[in-house]
Amino acid sequence: MVSKPSRLSTRIDFDADGKQLSYLQLPHSVHRSAYGWLPVPIACVKNGEGPTVLLLSGVHGDEYEGQITLSKLIGDLEPAAVSGRIILLPMANFPAGKAGLRTSPIDGLNLNRVFPGDSDGTPTPALAHYIDSILMPMADYLLDLHSGGSSLMYLPTAILGGAQMTAEVRQTKLELGRVFGAPYSFLFPDGQGGNATTSASAASHGVISIGTEMGGSGTVTPDCLRICEGGVRRVLRHLGVWHGAIGADEAPAVESRMLTAPSWEYFVYAPDDGLFEPRVELGDEVEAGQLAGYMHEPATPGRAPAPVHFEAGGVVICKRIPGRTERGDCLFHLGIDLED
Amino acid sequence: MVSKPSRLSTRIDFDADGKQLSYLQLPHSVHRSAYGWLPVPIACVKNGEGPTVLLLSGVHGDEYEGQITLSKLIGDLEPAAVSGRIILLPMANFPAGKAGLRTSPIDGLNLNRVFPGDSDGTPTPALAHYIDSILMPMADYLLDLHSGGSSLMYLPTAILGGAQMTAEVRQTKLELGRVFGAPYSFLFPDGQGGNATTSASAASHGVISIGTEMGGSGTVTPDCLRICEGGVRRVLRHLGVWHGAIGADEAPAVESRMLTAPSWEYFVYAPDDGLFEPRVELGDEVEAGQLAGYMHEPATPGRAPAPVHFEAGGVVICKRIPGRTERGDCLFHLGIDLED
Amino acid sequence: MVSKPSRLSTRIDFDADGKQLSYLQLPHSVHRSAYGWLPVPIACVKNGEGPTVLLLSGVHGDEYEGQITLSKLIGDLEPAAVSGRIILLPMANFPAGKAGLRTSPIDGLNLNRVFPGDSDGTPTPALAHYIDSILMPMADYLLDLHSGGSSLMYLPTAILGGAQMTAEVRQTKLELGRVFGAPYSFLFPDGQGGNATTSASAASHGVISIGTEMGGSGTVTPDCLRICEGGVRRVLRHLGVWHGAIGADEAPAVESRMLTAPSWEYFVYAPDDGLFEPRVELGDEVEAGQLAGYMHEPATPGRAPAPVHFEAGGVVICKRIPGRTERGDCLFHLGIDLED
Amino acid sequence: MVSKPSRLSTRIDFDADGKQLSYLQLPHSVHRSAYGWLPVPIACVKNGEGPTVLLLSGVHGDEYEGQITLSKLIGDLEPAAVSGRIILLPMANFPAGKAGLRTSPIDGLNLNRVFPGDSDGTPTPALAHYIDSILMPMADYLLDLHSGGSSLMYLPTAILGGAQMTAEVRQTKLELGRVFGAPYSFLFPDGQGGNATTSASAASHGVISIGTEMGGSGTVTPDCLRICEGGVRRVLRHLGVWHGAIGADEAPAVESRMLTAPSWEYFVYAPDDGLFEPRVELGDEVEAGQLAGYMHEPATPGRAPAPVHFEAGGVVICKRIPGRTERGDCLFHLGIDLED
Amino acid sequence: MVSKPSRLSTRIDFDADGKQLSYLQLPHSVHRSAYGWLPVPIACVKNGEGPTVLLLSGVHGDEYEGQITLSKLIGDLEPAAVSGRIILLPMANFPAGKAGLRTSPIDGLNLNRVFPGDSDGTPTPALAHYIDSILMPMADYLLDLHSGGSSLMYLPTAILGGAQMTAEVRQTKLELGRVFGAPYSFLFPDGQGGNATTSASAASHGVISIGTEMGGSGTVTPDCLRICEGGVRRVLRHLGVWHGAIGADEAPAVESRMLTAPSWEYFVYAPDDGLFEPRVELGDEVEAGQLAGYMHEPATPGRAPAPVHFEAGGVVICKRIPGRTERGDCLFHLGIDLED
Amino acid sequence: MVSKPSRLSTRIDFDADGKQLSYLQLPHSVHRSAYGWLPVPIACVKNGEGPTVLLLSGVHGDEYEGQITLSKLIGDLEPAAVSGRIILLPMANFPAGKAGLRTSPIDGLNLNRVFPGDSDGTPTPALAHYIDSILMPMADYLLDLHSGGSSLMYLPTAILGGAQMTAEVRQTKLELGRVFGAPYSFLFPDGQGGNATTSASAASHGVISIGTEMGGSGTVTPDCLRICEGGVRRVLRHLGVWHGAIGADEAPAVESRMLTAPSWEYFVYAPDDGLFEPRVELGDEVEAGQLAGYMHEPATPGRAPAPVHFEAGGVVICKRIPGRTERGDCLFHLGIDLED
């Protein structure tokens, strides 16, 4: 199927050398503004020959380490230190980012679940369509910077993609994970987010992609921010697209513990509605059958708490933040060491 | 002014010995239920002579350590181990608690800002009126268990009230703070929350009150929960109203660092809208003039970050959680050692 | 306390003979209309000497038999057949009536819970204040026509008020109930709706008031409508204020079964959230301890249904309509024969 | 077009003998839960050889007789009494069912208007896609249990589908209708609900389907519930898939009056906005040209009521519940005896 | 791709001579009305042979001159004065028109951005699908009457379409513009609104279309209304489909100034959020580089206003109305004289 | 009644000489910010002796000429040119101003209808209480700058208050109106807005107040802005509190036509819901009985338009903007020359 042309435009000339700061203009004809557009911030820094690297943050609007990392990087990037092209979308789902929400307040959609998008759709799929049809074909590499968002907290982790890739791509990603140098790296089981994510879009265009899960809880953690800054800049240097010196805020690389989850049994979900009391913390090593916590219901005085157990063992790399919980919410997920 | 009679009723007989679990029935005549009432959970355990202690949690619906502490305590309390009367409201603002929100989703009000309430008002002031006119007059002591809620994170702290109290009351509260045994205790500057809080209601009835700020971030922290459980049970034993043995989940008392804030300069507020990057962490000792963090705005690529500084020095006992921030949001507050 | 002047006005001249149809103009200065007013429909028909009767319907916007009864009566009333004055508000809470809701969509309030109102308040209390301070002082009798609304279904019943009245007033009301001639008449236990109802307002002004609960379920029942039409017109004739002939749509009077409920134990409330299956129907005679129904929860397959029992015996005169139910919703209420 | 794989999963093994109770896990990545799923309740009871029968209720969340019928059946089904496989979704549109709404509160969609669904869509079409692509291909028979919902009230009726079917299928459905044994059975005119319904999905997979319209008004009617329970269990026995004994709550079969409506003229719609007064009741026999009722507008005192007439004759099998009505709302529909 | 059949129906017989007034019945099965339809008003006047002209207004619900023009025309049209067929939709997006909003309050969509529509979609695309698949194939000419809506104000302008048309179509449209006789006529740059507009639908069916932008600001301007009435009636007479005499309210034709905009540089957009102070007015001739106005931010006292400049020169034919403005809102657009 | 202390604070020292720019800190403890305050912008410029003038704009958030006038004045004011004290609130109802709405999006209230406010109320009455209890007692003069807002458009008019004032105050106000020098000045009939307005608050403190209605329609009109700037600065010079030179943007004073309205008959209200077509324009002189316009209803094709007439004669100084209109909306108001 031939893709329809995008309705978005921009004043950026992606073929021009130099540093350009502008907006993707996403048409949005509504009651308060008949001829208006939503301004999705974008920067492009290009100089001579070299690879093109696309950096995204704010795909979920309530994930902040990446947004600050790219904002600072946009300030620091000088064309003289670039060989190739770096394209940055520091607040990719702009309406979600302005509102501090995971999903867009305009159409309620999750940008990371609507790829390859729809040029005639509501703002979120129209934006995904632009990224998929215009930006991905320009790119050699994608870095998509996430944190856990308002509902989850992660150990600082580089995300190296799912299981369906060639051995060569896998080796490249593992190498990029080591260069990134976060304390943890993680390979998701197949199918997380389906085929509608940024990484699926990248794969469909032959773009090598990695991501992050840097903290979360809808806040900014100084440590995660420094790890994110260091990792992103190390990867850019490693790819040869940037030659900038090490900055004061970069955390140094550490040897990354390579983790994976072989199946969805490494994820623990709430069995009922209630108030969850966790009994383990991030970084704990747990065993199959171990107590994960209790579901309480203070609204019914005297109701006994219900225990929740782990079905598999591993290290706790992600936990739920909000105490109020509904059946089906993810409470924890685990990782085990990658056999490679 | 003579108070109007409350519209709430309950099947609890506060004068009867034994353990009773029931609801405050708060009339709420609306489209989906013309003759219905909102069920505010309540427990009463009474045995013989002794003081009456009122325990509240869930005054803010998104503060959870207290809700679990009281739910477990309701399960454990046996009349034989009680001398006097313990009244517990584990989810005091019931509609807010069920929704996991600070304020009531029905009338948008903050229960801790509407005392002494209004018997003819919307549900939140009608509930405050019941607490103020029925429960406070029965009580000798109040423990009101808060955490930082969805927007703030506190070090585990006992709250010993504001500055306007007699020397005798102050000494009693400081002693209760020591018995509670949280790592930190804090006396607020005058005027926090005005005269519409639970503690102001308690003071107007001659009830000795203390509170807590146990963690926050809208989550449940296992450590804070254990501190809360230990502190509450120690205070009940100290007051002689309960003789229960020490349980497995109680954290032992530590020597509490007594802190206060002499003025509102110990609180740092956002000077503008944006995305806040903190540069200090909970527990850090800071000096007046020190950098607190930066305001970023990724929506405008290239905009320089704006620094924010502390106006006073002390230990960081509270920080803001959500990264997206508006002018006037509290970013941090400090404490200094109490001179006594 | 001296009442403040009302902010409402009307083109009706209550002292003029003749038939006038117009609106109460309730000022409502909002974004869509800075100088607008809400048009509360009103009719006044006056002729010579005689009592003043105030007729209300649509106090709850989703109760319809009264609204149609008064609309048809407004069409039929001719001054020549009147001796005194009849004032009719066929859609008393106009915004609720237009929306088909129990409570006002503007301020969320229940007109029958805000008397004596507030001239400076939001629209619902401002309207109550007008009724209380302007219309009630003109009136000798009040007929306030209710049905069960969207959440309840009643047997066709005349409501003769609560228990706090003099023997003389009680006798007058019982007589009016017999004249009204609905199959059932009911005296509420004390305190239903508190002191903020139309009937409390009437009592405070020495106005004799009766009401109805004609069907409900948010629908129009042809039988209830005919009973309502007959009853209202018979009462007007009995009071000597109207001399109109019997119309084709009037149901004839029947001997009314006089019922009451001595306490709130005659009301059955949901003990938990769920889907309620009733096991009795309107008009059934039940005994204390009898099964009222079951609470189911299809969302949790395999959960056993929980039985609900009556705490008292009597005839079922009211039942809940919506199947989805929350703890505290009224499921049934009973009546027992009035001993007089 | 090859269907995309579903994003839903379940712990049910549809090929395993025995009784399994669990959930369809419908991924729903939102602000309050990044990795969560919606739990759609499901039960599967299998034993040996025999047909597969799929039972749905709660396709519209405010239709309750079916939800209770299936909840009780799930409790009663024992594998030993089964020959084949019975798959039950007692609350098919789970978010709508929990909210007591016809349509999903998440995406606003009507599950019975989105078949064959979309695996990448919002929750309602994603769920339809699972039913269409996974459950329908397993099934030989479908029973989809509806009531009239919050806006309509039906006589207790079995629905035997639309007109576009082979003579053989028609005979099978008429036979199932007789076995079901409700007082009425009805064949819709072509096109009701278009090709996006459960029955259209069934037809596209060669599955024989029947349905019900058991009462309505958003309530639970004891009589309709007993008719529904009896009918469903009789059909299961008739199909040979279940051998359970007749239970205490089953209404016995009656000879079903077979009805149809040859065209949309048998449906009466509101000609304008207003408050509708019906002049006929369910079960009445009416003639073309007969008065159906009046449109009133109490908001405009003195406005004359407008009559509404039937365009065709027949028996009234369905009426509108809410009094407040808008132009285009269905007020009544009729049936005439099926000529076969 | 073969279009699916529409789910809309109507009682209009488009092949019958005479004047018919009715509704498009747009099925909308929701909680408040399970079997209801939305009534989109339509009129059809046909007599003998001649062209078919389709007239639309209310495609955006807050644009009013066209809605009044067509309402009055529907009243005046007599079959005897018609040669051919005139089909009128005076409130094309009915839900938007009733609410006075640009977009539908039901699905949030802009009817002029969803062509060719979707028969199975929400109401707005289902309606577009009917217009595209049923009405457009009947039509020879389309007049789609817009004003600026709530957010924009236009000089009274006939819109003659975009740049992608044959020379012959262009000449026909220019001639119709001259006949219409508004003070201004305008040809848009390519791509405004994409391929999802009424004019794109018309073009795909070989229908000659023109439109208007008559004032705006969400109000009715008497002058613009008279220009609209005159223009529409002159075009109908010119096309030979109507022979009505000139009415009292028709403004006479003036020589229309033919304008165009060669690129999007003739549109000025807000560079930031704030309160916009315009420094030019409608009808002013401006030059490239001229000051257009200032962005203020009263919320930050002392912040300097930021100037905004024109990037091109021309006559100001459109301005933004709401003072509160966001980055990306259109502030002005210009026209330059068409070289032909 | 002794007023309660305000909960608002500010860093402004009202007794200090010099120019201070800051915020009123209005405590607002909500889910997104437990310890936050709303920042109401304020400026204070003081020098030596002289009167205190309080200037307000943005009392209604969608009235903009005053907000820009005060923002520019804050930029221009230098203490050396001041004799006395000028206090400016350029966006008095800050939440409404940021949202571009008449009323606060937080509590839905109109700041100009809640005086004297309530220190314990929601943000709008808490703010009114601060203005009434802190700022008014400091002031000698009040200038409260309004425009017509989103729903009304005014000729540029100075507002000189209601009828209940002493002859001396009246003469002072008329003189200030002449100094202001707008084309029109207007004295309201008694009772507009009741006793809850800024001008009622001023009167209760003996403060001389005038206001404006400068254009409206929710937009910024360059002419009205220049008139507002000139008038405000002339009044400040006239009062001797400011000695600034005439600026480039000030419109010169003109002789102001002094108007009044003796009764509410000079206001025309919509008699029904519909789409209003005006037949007169601002500035027109009309007579009693003259046609004001027509109510149309395009939703019902063929419905005849209903005429609306003036009940009194005068000059049209205010008109309604939104075409969609409800019964009770003000369509026009008139003025007649003041006899003095």
Side-chain angles (χ1 to χ4, degrees), chain A residues 176-183 226-227 229-231 234-235 237 246 250-256:
Chain A
L176 290 177
R178 279 187 288 267
V179 169
F180 196 99
R226 294 178 65 242
I227 293 167
E229 288 193 36
R234 273 190 296 275
V235 167
R237 288 186 202 106
I246 292 177
E250 295 185 28
V254 299
E255 187 174 355
S256 193

Side-chain angles (χ1 to χ4, degrees), chain A residues 182-222:
Chain A
Y184 299 86
S185 295
F186 187 73
L187 277 81
F188 261 99
D190 278 355
Q192 166 72 4
N195 292 312
T197 59
T198 56
S199 62
S201 168
S204 77
H205 291 279
V207 175
I208 300 290
S209 70
I210 69 166
T212 63
E213 294 290 354
M214 285 288 143
S217 186
T219 195
V220 178
T221 313

Side-chain angles (χ1 to χ4, degrees), chain C residues 21-23 41 64 68 71-72 91 97 217-220 222 225 249 275-279 296 298-299 301 321-324, chain D residues 21-23 41 64 68 71-72 91 97 217-220 222 225 249 275-279 281 296 298-299 301 321-324:
Chain C
L21 309 179
S22 190
Y23 302 94
Y64 299 119
I68 294 176
S71 290
K72 292 170 75 171
M91 195 185 267
S217 187
T219 195
V220 177
L225 179 59
D249 295 340
L275 178 47
F276 183 65
E277 171 195 355
R279 284 291 179 126
H296 296 268
I321 290 297
R324 263 281 143 194
Chain D
L21 309 179
S22 191
Y23 301 95
Y64 299 119
I68 294 176
S71 290
K72 292 169 76 171
M91 195 186 266
S217 188
T219 196
V220 177
L225 179 59
D249 295 340
L275 178 47
F276 182 64
E277 171 195 355
R279 284 292 178 125
E281 261 295 358
H296 296 268
I321 290 296
R324 264 282 142 193

Side-chain angles (χ1 to χ4, degrees), chain C residues 242-256:
Chain C
W242 186 55
H243 320 293
I246 292 177
D249 295 340
E250 294 185 28
V254 298
E255 185 173 0
S256 193

Side-chain angles (χ1 to χ4, degrees), chain C residues 205-242:
Chain C
H205 291 279
V207 176
I208 300 290
S209 70
I210 68 165
T212 64
E213 295 289 353
M214 284 289 143
S217 187
T219 195
V220 177
T221 313
D223 281 353
C224 287
L225 179 59
R226 293 178 64 244
I227 293 166
C228 191
E229 288 193 35
V232 166
R233 293 174 180 221
R234 274 190 295 274
V235 168
L236 292 179
R237 290 187 201 102
H238 174 81
L239 297 175
V241 75
W242 186 55

